[in-house]
Amino acid sequence: MKIEKIHHVAYRCRDAKEGAAFYTTMLNMDFVLAIAEDQAPSTHEPDPYMHLFLDAGDGNVLAFFELPTKPDMGRDENTPAWVQHIAFQVKDRATLLEYKAHLEANGIEVLGVTDHSIFHSIYFFDPNGHRIELAAPDPDRAAAMQKLDAVKWDMLEEWSRTRRAPRHADWLHAREFGAGA
């Protein structure tokens, strides 16, 4: 028994039409499907909704619910805004830079390019306040991933004991923090 893949990931949105327009125009996703009911099929709770499905590439589906009868959506105020995010992979750094220029040309504030060694990322917010990351793999990713794989359990064990960042892979963000080549 093993999970095959994520079927879809669903988030809330304030305006389904605005959300569909953002993801199709800004990120070039295809709008795949819309479902609307006056009650939730799983709980039978009376609650009208619009459920959007967008093609996030390679069989990945991003979905949104607009819930017009519920209080305005918020976010977990105890979690920093940088923690909860949706990350999408792009082909390469050139594509990442093309997206950055496209987003900024359309008035979207973009943070980065951030160097994570194994990939490079930009960050921005969608109209609903969801943080989005676009990540491009680093050309030397395979070797770095082997190094990370070799220490992952030791790092987790040390973190579990100390709740302090282990230094097994402190090279990972050395360039980003200005400590490396």
Side-chain angles (χ1 to χ4, degrees), residues 112-128:
V113 174
T114 300
D115 184 346
H116 297 288
S117 289
I118 54 176
F119 57 92
H120 306 269
S121 300
I122 61 172
Y123 302 90
F124 53 95
F125 289 91
D126 80 358
N128 302 293

Side-chain angles (χ1 to χ4, degrees), residues 57-107:
D58 200 27
N60 296 291
V61 177
L62 177 63
F64 289 97
F65 281 97
E66 180 182 342
L67 305 169
T69 65
K70 297 298 183 195
D72 288 344
M73 58 184 273
R75 58 172 294 278
D76 177 0
E77 294 300 324
N78 293 321
T79 302
W82 58 267
V83 173
Q84 294 176 337
H85 64 280
I86 310 166
F88 300 105
Q89 182 171 311
V90 298
K91 181 180 176 182
D92 53 27
R93 187 176 178 89
T95 305
L96 186 68
L97 295 174
E98 187 178 352
Y99 266 111
K100 179 178 170 80
H102 172 68
L103 292 161
E104 290 175 337
N106 283 279

